[in-house]
């Protein structure tokens, strides 16, 4: 092996140090948050021993229960709407010959990734307040609509990736074997697309669950989601209860992302 | 709701009946079909006014180099593309504009295109299910098909768990299960290794014989085409150049491209001296006159190209009576045959293939001056 070695970043001096530093900067704050969730005392800064009291406290707090339930309902509805819309959008943008304007369409679908969230939030606030006046309706529907909109690109990306990798000949083969376009979709495209749709749904679900900015602007009184409730708590005297909620949140997200990973790997 | 939208797709009768009552009829008539892809400056003519008739129960091969339009023609018959112009008749009915699911025609794809989320048996049953057949009929025919391609034991396997050769059989069984009127095969053997390909060639031919279904087979492999086909259509640059039996195509190529594409061929310049029905006398540059096979449309006096198969020429010691004379440039010993690469006196290259039979006993070496004699039916006049 007299061949000259290719340049490998990993062999450079200081690489490990930088990597470790980055790693700690990313995870140390999170570790601190998780550790203090188990604090027996009332402070987020002074350690007084191990206890699960803040988990019990959070779990029995009616406002937390209420906000958590609302978060889950909104996330489930928004992720469903977004997945359906994203599936249709992905099929429309991949099952076609490239044409002028297709790139623009990609950009349009992914718009929520690029437009600053605060702009969307203010815009929605203005539009929805008008609609509230006209219709008198001020329920959770606005939040679901807003969340669905910004979740679409997150659901769209994995679905589109899967569609692009799918062998088009399979759909032709099904059509050749007397399947009508609808049956081709139901029997071939959809089953093969399922891992992508599940991945898209889970991604959208987590993104919705996590949202603060748009929710804060769009929600009416008494419509706190878990993140906006936590934000509200931080404005007052804070207790490790917020840490406990955040820890559960983190655990939930990690589980979802792990599941996402395994679903994608199994079928790829 | 399945099956309700499929009034056209009735690949009906038993195979046996098909065979006896319809021999000699045309299964497919392609009439003046043109296919242009793209528009404006980017226009590509994939098929240039092609007409061909494919008979009932025939093993018909579309042969040509890649880009000649053979796959496009197959896809037009399958319904994955629609012609720019022209008609495609299936038993006298124009199907050119029907979607694929309304045509009683099935395809074996080059990549097999087996459904990865279904088992072998589910793949085979798919077409029957889509036709709305009863469960018992589906199960019965699926079992028959599994037996036909000897895949009974692997019925419950996922298609990713079987070998390439087995996938090939499943693809065949899946396409045959709905009893199509015509089976289209798009280079189905190209992914197999040499030995398996040889086996499958015979098996396919056998299967075609047993089922009595018309097979339209696309390949770029001339040997495959000669081995399997009842008739071959040789294609180049969007046109069909010649249609005929393997024997016709090989022995009487009509055009230079056909002669060059199928097997090895020597080309000679000549002038037509006299013509009669199907044959002519031509004069070589050396002044020698020989008989040659004649396609239509040549008058005495025309300058023509002759094709001579290497095995139809015989090498002899230099002699004034020989048709051609030259020097051995190179000599390739191939066990059963020896190939003599000659440089003729006119400067042209010429190959002679001679069998190494025990009696031949002639020993020539590189650099020797030799003569070549041509059999009476060795030379064929070509349309250029």
């Amino acid at each position: 092996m007299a061949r000259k070695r290719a340049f490998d970043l990993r062999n450079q001096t200081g690489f490990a140090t930088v990597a470790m530093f980055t790693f700690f900067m990313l995870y140390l704050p999170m570790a601190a948050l998780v550790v203090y969730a188990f604090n027996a005392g009332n402070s987020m800064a002074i350690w007084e021993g191990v206890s699960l009291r803040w988990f019990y406290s959070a779990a029995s707090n009616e406002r937390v229960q209420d906000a958590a339930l609302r978060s889950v309902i909104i996330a489930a509805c928004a992720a469903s709407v977004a997945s359906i819309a994203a599936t249709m959008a992905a099929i429309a943008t991949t099952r076609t010959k490239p044409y002028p304007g297709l790139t623009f369409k990609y950009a349009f679908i992914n718009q929520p990734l690029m437009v600053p969230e605060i702009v969307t939030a203010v815009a929605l606030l203005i539009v929805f307040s008008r609609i509230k006046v006209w219709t008198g309706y001020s329920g959770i529907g606005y939040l679901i609509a807003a969340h669905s909109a910004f979740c679409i690109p997150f659901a769209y990306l994995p679905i589109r990736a899967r569609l692009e990798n799918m062998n088009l000949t399979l759909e032709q083969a099904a059509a050749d074997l007397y399947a009508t376009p609808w049956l081709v979709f139901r029997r071939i495209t959809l089953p093969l697309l399922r891992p992508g749709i599940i991945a898209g749904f889970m991604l959208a679900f987590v993104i919705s669950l996590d949202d603060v900015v748009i929710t804060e602007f769009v929600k009416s009184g008494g419509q706190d989601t878990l993140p906006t409730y936590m934000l509200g708590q931080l404005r007052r005297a804070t207790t490790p209860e917020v840490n406990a909620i955040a820890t559960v949140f983190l655990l939930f997200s990690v589980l979802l992302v792990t599941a996402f990973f395994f679903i994608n790997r199994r079928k790829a | 709701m399945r099956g309700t939208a499929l009034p056209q797709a009735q690949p009906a009768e038993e195979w046996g009946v098909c065979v006896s009552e319809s021999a000699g009829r045309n299964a497919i008539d392609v009439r003046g079909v043109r296919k242009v892809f793209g528009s404006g400056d980017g226009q590509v003519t994939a098929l240039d006014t092609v007409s061909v008739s494919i008979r009932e129960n025939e093993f018909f091969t579309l042969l040509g180099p890649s880009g000649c339009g053979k796959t496009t023609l197959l896809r037009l018959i399958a319904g994955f593309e629609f012609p720019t112009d022209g008609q495609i008749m299936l038993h006298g009915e124009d199907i050119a504009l029907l979607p694929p699911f309304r045509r009683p025609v099935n395809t074996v794809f080059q990549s097999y295109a087996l459904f990865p989320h279904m088992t072998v048996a589910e793949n085979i049953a798919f077409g029957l299910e889509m036709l709305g057949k009863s469960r018992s009929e589906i199960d019965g025919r699926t079992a028959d098909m599994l037996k036909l391609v000897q895949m009974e034991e692997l019925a419950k396997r996922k298609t990713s768990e079987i070998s390439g050769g087995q996938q090939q059989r499943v693809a065949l069984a899946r396409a045959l299960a709905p009893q199509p009127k015509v089976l289209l095969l798009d280079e189905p053997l190209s992914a197999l290794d040499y030995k398996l390909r040889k086996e499958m060639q015979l098996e396919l031919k056998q299967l075609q014989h047993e089922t009595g279904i018309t097979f339209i087979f696309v390949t770029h492999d001339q040997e495959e085409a000669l081995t399997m086909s009842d008739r071959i259509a040789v294609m180049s640059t969007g046109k069909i150049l010649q249609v005929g039996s393997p024997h016709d195509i090989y022995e009487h190529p009509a055009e230079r491209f056909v002669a060059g594409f199928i097997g090895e061929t020597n080309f000679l310049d000549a002038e037509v001296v006299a013509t009669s029905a199907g044959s002519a006398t031509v004069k070589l540059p050396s002044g020698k006159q020989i008989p040659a096979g004649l396609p239509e449309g040549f008058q005495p006096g025309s300058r023509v190209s002759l094709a001579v198969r290497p095995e139809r020429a015989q090498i002899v010691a230099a002699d004034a009576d020989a048709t051609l004379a030259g020097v051995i440039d190179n000599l390739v010993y191939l066990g059963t045959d020896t190939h003599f690469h000659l440089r003729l006196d006119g400067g042209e290259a010429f190959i002679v293939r001679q069998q190494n039979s025990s009696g031949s006993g002639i020993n020539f070496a590189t650099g020797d001056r030799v003569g070549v004699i041509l059999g009476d039916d060795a030379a064929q006049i070509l349309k250029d």
Side-chain angles (χ1 to χ4, degrees):
Chain A
M1 295 298 275
R3 210 154 46 89
K4 202 179 156 195
R5 269 224 166 134
F7 174 77
D8 189 345
L9 193 63
R10 285 172 298 180
N11 294 333
Q12 302 304 302
T13 38
F15 182 85
T17 322
V18 172
M20 289 306 280
F21 177 74
T22 312
F23 186 77
F24 276 115
M25 289 308 283
L26 278 173
Y27 288 101
L28 210 56
M30 247 186 263
L33 175 129
V34 171
V35 167
Y36 276 90
F38 295 93
N39 193 358
N42 291 330
S43 165
M44 289 167 81
I46 304 154
W47 182 255
E48 288 175 38
V50 180
S51 144
L52 288 176
R53 67 178 275 220
W54 296 113
F55 287 93
Y56 289 123
S57 156
S60 53
N61 182 337
E62 263 179 40
R63 290 188 58 204
V64 174
Q65 291 169 359
D66 183 48
L69 181 65
R70 189 173 294 112
S71 273
V72 170
I73 291 172
I74 291 171
C77 294
S80 305
V81 174
S83 303
I84 294 168
T87 303
M88 295 195 286
I91 289 172
T93 51
T94 52
R95 292 292 181 265
T96 174
K97 291 199 178 103
Y99 55 89
L102 189 61
T103 320
F104 174 74
K105 266 186 201 166
Y106 287 143
F108 195 75
I109 291 164
N110 290 325
Q111 164 269 123
L113 295 178
M114 285 170 257
V115 175
E117 221 186 330
I118 190 73
V119 175
T120 314
V122 173
L124 286 176
L125 173 71
I126 296 165
V127 172
F128 285 163
S129 64
R130 257 312 132 85
I131 298 175
K132 278 179 198 172
V133 171
W134 287 339
T135 61
Y137 172 73
S138 61
I140 203 175
Y142 297 107
L143 279 172
I144 292 174
H147 280 227
S148 302
F150 71 72
C151 281
I152 286 174
F154 294 97
Y156 173 74
L157 292 175
I159 297 173
R160 183 182 140 199
R162 183 122 190 127
L163 266 175
E164 279 179 343
N165 290 332
M166 197 186 291
N167 183 357
L168 270 182
T169 318
L170 294 177
E171 289 170 8
Q172 281 179 357
D176 188 61
L177 291 162
Y178 314 108
T180 56
W182 165 246
L183 282 172
V184 172
F185 176 74
R186 205 168 62 88
R187 297 291 305 273
I188 307 298
T189 317
L190 199 57
L192 292 173
L193 201 53
R194 192 165 292 137
I197 296 177
I198 293 173
F201 178 89
M202 279 164 41
L203 213 54
F205 190 85
V206 172
I207 296 290
S208 160
L209 214 54
D210 185 44
D211 181 73
V212 177
V213 178
I214 289 176
T215 312
E216 190 67 32
F217 276 72
V218 170
K219 75 183 168 75
S220 306
Q223 289 187 346
D224 266 323
T225 62
L226 214 43
T228 62
Y229 169 77
M230 287 160 76
L231 186 66
Q233 287 306 102
L234 289 175
R235 292 199 188 108
R236 301 187 200 106
T238 53
T239 65
E241 189 180 276
V242 175
N243 294 41
I245 299 170
T247 303
V248 173
F249 225 123
L250 180 67
L251 185 71
F252 184 70
S253 298
V254 168
L255 286 179
L256 265 190
V257 171
T258 313
F260 169 93
F261 172 78
F262 277 110
I263 287 172
N264 257 12
R265 201 184 55 168
R266 187 162 53 96
K267 292 283 181 169
Chain B
M1 68 171 290
R2 91 175 41 133
T4 50
L6 308 167
Q8 305 274 351
Q10 296 290 336
E13 323 82 12
E14 286 301 310
W15 289 332
V17 179
C18 262
V19 178
S20 56
E21 79 177 359
S22 50
R25 271 202 315 174
N26 286 342
I28 296 272
D29 278 301
V30 176
R31 293 185 187 160
V33 164
R34 244 167 34 90
K35 177 65 185 174
V36 179
F37 289 105
S39 55
D41 290 343
Q43 256 187 17
V44 178
T45 305
L47 283 177
D48 190 0
T49 329
V50 164
S51 295
V52 64
S53 292
I54 295 155
R55 294 177 199 138
E56 194 80 65
N57 309 324
E58 186 169 41
F59 198 119
F60 192 88
T61 298
L62 299 170
L63 173 66
S66 60
C68 71
K70 58 191 190 301
T71 298
T72 303
L73 183 52
L74 198 78
R75 292 174 61 81
L76 285 170
I77 297 172
F80 305 136
E81 309 278 356
F82 300 106
T84 313
D85 264 324
Q87 292 175 306
I88 297 171
M89 316 295 281
L90 174 74
H91 294 314
E93 183 200 354
D94 190 359
I95 58 163
L97 299 176
L98 290 180
F101 58 89
R102 300 266 297 270
R103 303 183 187 205
V105 163
N106 290 141
T107 308
V108 178
F109 294 85
Q110 185 169 14
S111 59
Y112 312 145
L114 298 179
F115 306 130
H117 56 301
M118 298 182 192
T119 64
V120 166
E122 285 166 349
N123 263 279
I124 295 173
F126 188 84
L128 298 163
E129 245 178 84
M130 292 299 115
L131 284 172
K133 302 285 182 201
S134 69
R135 195 69 246 176
S136 59
E137 191 181 344
I138 293 173
D139 291 343
R141 280 211 52 80
T142 304
D144 288 348
M145 283 295 130
L146 284 165
K147 198 166 158 209
L148 186 71
V149 296
Q150 298 145 43
M151 292 286 293
E152 293 117 306
E153 273 123 63
L154 302 174
K156 294 280 184 298
R157 292 274 189 93
K158 276 274 161 69
T159 56
S160 54
E161 297 165 350
I162 58 177
S163 72
Q166 290 165 340
Q167 289 182 12
Q168 162 77 77
R169 285 160 201 271
V170 177
L172 255 173
R174 185 180 70 176
L176 283 171
Q179 290 165 294
K181 297 211 167 105
V182 176
L183 185 75
L184 308 175
L185 302 107
D186 185 8
E187 308 216 17
L189 306 182
S190 60
L192 303 178
D193 62 43
Y194 181 78
K195 190 160 171 285
L196 204 51
R197 197 158 68 228
K198 288 277 153 207
E199 282 172 27
M200 283 306 293
Q201 282 177 11
L202 294 179
E203 237 172 279
L204 266 182
K205 182 77 190 149
Q206 181 72 21
L207 210 56
Q208 193 264 331
H209 200 74
E210 277 171 28
T211 57
I213 290 177
T214 308
F215 278 31
I216 304 180
F217 186 87
V218 161
T219 184
H220 62 266
D221 183 334
Q222 43 121 345
E223 194 191 326
E224 209 163 85
L226 292 174
T227 318
M228 300 165 74
S229 319
D230 293 322
R231 287 194 308 152
I232 299 172
V234 184
M235 297 184 70
S236 172
T237 60
K239 290 196 169 92
I240 291 181
L241 302 181
Q242 188 175 359
V243 180
S245 68
H247 181 268
D248 279 348
I249 298 269
Y250 187 82
E251 298 293 343
H252 307 291
E255 301 193 28
R256 195 180 185 106
F257 178 87
V258 178
F261 189 72
I262 298 176
E264 263 183 317
T265 304
N266 296 299
F267 296 107
L268 296 172
D269 291 328
E271 188 187 325
V272 179
V273 176
T275 63
S276 61
S279 74
T281 305
V282 296
K283 192 168 80 178
L284 296 171
S286 62
K288 292 246 188 299
Q289 297 201 354
I290 57 168
L294 180 74
E296 285 157 29
F298 285 94
Q299 298 304 319
S302 341
R303 310 280 322 162
V304 293
S305 288
L306 295 181
V308 179
R309 295 291 181 191
E311 69 274 16
R312 290 307 187 90
Q314 199 190 337
I315 199 156
V316 293
D319 173 355
D321 288 342
T323 316
L324 302 165
V327 173
I328 299 178
D329 253 359
N330 204 350
L331 191 153
V332 183
Y333 178 75
L334 290 169
T336 55
D337 301 317
T338 303
H339 288 194
F340 297 93
H341 295 254
L342 308 183
R343 180 68 49 191
L344 297 182
D345 289 350
E348 311 97 316
F350 195 94
I351 300 173
V352 177
R353 183 190 302 161
Q354 204 131 306
Q355 268 200 352
N356 297 325
S357 56
S358 57
S360 61
I362 330 152
N363 284 316
F364 296 106
T366 308
D368 284 358
R369 225 190 128 62
V370 292
V372 176
I373 49 176
L374 304 180
D376 274 357
D377 54 353
Q380 172 74 23
I381 295 174
L382 300 175
K383 289 189 268 191
D384 265 310

